Amino acid sequence: MKTNFTLIATAAAGLEAVVGRELRDLGYDCQVENGRVRFEGDLTAIIDSNLWLRSADRIKIIVGQFPASTFEELFQGVYGLDWENYLPLGCKFPISKAKCVKSKLHNEPSVQAISKKAVVKKLQKHFHRPEGVPLQELGAEFRIEVSILKDQATVMIDTTGSSLFKRGYRVEKGGAPIKENMAAAILLLSNWYPDKPLIDPTCGSGTFCIEAAMMARKIAPGLKRQFAFEEWNWVDKELVAAARHRAKEKIDWDLKLDISGSDIDARLVDIAKKNAQAAGVAADIQFKQMRLQDLKTDKTNGVIISNPPYGERLLDDEAIASLYRDMGQTFAPLETWSKFILTSDEQFEVRYGQQADKKRKLYNGTLKVDLYQFFGKRVKRSNPIQGG
Ligand code: SAH
């Protein structure tokens, strides 16, 4: 079986660089591409990237890349890959996804069918099985994906299983939750550090607060879930157990955090509390029912992160306009606080009453959104010795 892999971490458009930064922090050199980040590594890289990346969607192994402008080229290309080094006899190996973009081959179901035939033929040959007798597929699953971009095929195996945004702590969703990996990415893009107060005044199911607490405590986001690769026979279970053990040892339980979340809807506040409980960070976050219009604080240098309702999703335009105006007025006195607000409303700044210092285009699912960033004013501390 294989010991070294070319891997990609997939990411939502706009978040590739954040995933790249996370990978480098884990110690991997990487190249940031469109929608994905490429890196090399061994089995430990597969385990650690799944366990630790907060902003990525999935980790996939690149089995091979080759030109494919005809079905014959596709068949030969897929057949030519070293499937025997990945797929044990008896495993399930669906071609779970085929995607063709700007390519001569564009019939995705046919790409799936041809690719499947090619893998089957290769395994029949390798394991000396008669052609014509289907291979039994009962064991662990290896989901294969074929993507053809400008007549270049990339063939991958997904190592993750259900997407990495599913951390396993969400008890109930409620309303319109932001994906966990998107919330984590926004926190990583913000200027929040664990020593600053953090407030999410439209916390819904609590995602930003929970992700922040997990990040601060260095709780691996994947600690509470399983991954597809854990079923594979060539993955050393002890290596996985050791990685989980190391992750548990890394958790910093001593840190003092100041994180709070509030929402107008008491039902959601209950859900947020349950989610925080399940994530193991309930003691780190103060959740309460409150209108954002009632937000007041004497603290300084904090960070507000909010993803308020957008027109497309939850409220009518009139209500949105007045909510954003209230936000602007409520946050204005908090001069030393930075604010990061995610919305799809292109009129946000006008309604809020202030132009953002910086804007960043992101996608919340398929919806184009902007992260409006307002940086807090630094407070000058007077120096008691110089009397300043
Ligand atoms: N990020 C959240 C989802 C936020 S959706 C999550 O991950 O679940 C927007 C939230 O704003 C909703 O939960 C809604 O109840 C809340 N909301 C709407 N108007 C509000 C107001 N005036 N004050 C506080 N919260 C409000």
Side-chain angles (χ1 to χ4, degrees), residues 25-136:
D25 286 348
L26 288 176
Y28 297 100
D29 267 345
C30 58
Q31 290 98 50
V32 173
E33 301 172 3
N34 253 348
R36 59 201 216 176
V37 184
R38 189 185 284 252
F39 62 112
E40 305 276 329
D42 55 9
L43 186 53
T44 301
I46 296 181
I47 300 170
D48 280 350
S49 54
N50 272 290
L51 199 55
W52 281 102
L53 289 181
R54 295 180 198 277
S55 57
D57 280 334
R58 287 168 185 285
I59 311 300
K60 299 174 187 176
I61 299 169
I62 296 192
V63 184
Q65 290 185 295
F66 49 84
S69 37
T70 65
F71 281 121
E72 180 57 21
E73 269 181 347
L74 176 68
F75 184 90
Q76 293 304 339
V78 175
Y79 182 80
L81 301 177
D82 60 339
W83 293 106
E84 65 280 7
N85 289 330
Y86 299 93
L87 307 180
L89 193 61
C91 74
K92 298 191 197 85
F93 53 101
I95 312 291
S96 58
K97 219 159 115 185
K99 205 168 101 189
C100 304
V101 179
K102 294 183 189 152
S103 298
K104 293 193 190 75
L105 293 178
H106 51 79
N107 184 327
E108 291 167 348
S110 304
V111 167
Q112 274 171 301
I114 300 277
S115 304
K116 179 76 186 189
K117 272 193 192 148
V119 183
V120 168
K121 191 168 179 201
K122 183 63 170 280
L123 293 181
Q124 283 169 331
K125 177 166 177 261
H126 181 80
F127 292 115
H128 310 293
R129 301 282 134 163
E131 269 186 52
V133 182
L135 290 169
Q136 285 221 320

Side-chain angles (χ1 to χ4, degrees), residues 25 101 121 160 202 238 254 274 289 296 317:
D25 286 348
V101 179
K121 191 168 179 201
T160 299
T202 58
E238 279 176 26
D254 299 329
K274 285 188 190 138
Q289 188 272 328
K296 284 196 181 65
D317 198 54

Side-chain angles (χ1 to χ4, degrees), residues 208-338:
F208 280 117
C209 296
I210 295 169
E211 289 294 322
M214 289 176 70
M215 214 178 272
R217 294 233 175 274
K218 301 191 167 59
I219 300 174
L223 204 50
K224 288 224 156 91
R225 56 160 286 168
Q226 302 290 306
F227 304 101
F229 70 77
E230 293 183 70
E231 300 289 315
W232 301 351
N233 70 333
W234 48 268
V235 170
D236 180 353
K237 302 289 171 289
E238 279 176 26
L239 214 55
V240 182
R244 285 186 189 281
H245 180 74
R246 273 199 309 278
K248 282 187 190 141
E249 304 258 281
K250 276 223 173 95
I251 301 177
D252 178 353
W253 291 117
D254 299 329
L255 213 61
K256 274 210 79 64
L257 296 172
D258 184 354
I259 302 176
S260 43
S262 47
D263 197 283
I264 196 166
D265 185 341
R267 195 182 56 93
L268 287 173
V269 175
D270 277 343
I271 292 176
K273 284 181 185 164
K274 285 188 190 138
N275 288 338
Q277 187 83 40
V281 292
D284 294 327
I285 309 167
Q286 281 74 53
F287 283 118
K288 67 173 176 192
Q289 188 272 328
M290 189 181 80
R291 295 164 72 235
L292 73 85
Q293 290 86 344
D294 296 327
L295 176 71
K296 284 196 181 65
T297 176
D298 295 331
K299 293 172 189 160
T300 53
N301 296 322
V303 175
I304 291 176
I305 297 205
S306 160
N307 116 256
Y310 332 133
E312 288 87 342
R313 306 186 85 183
L314 299 169
L315 289 177
D316 65 61
D317 198 54
E318 202 54 27
I320 291 290
S322 103
L323 180 68
Y324 291 178
R325 194 188 58 234
D326 289 352
M327 272 185 125
Q329 289 173 0
T330 311
F331 297 170
L334 308 177
E335 284 192 340
T336 64
W337 285 64
S338 294

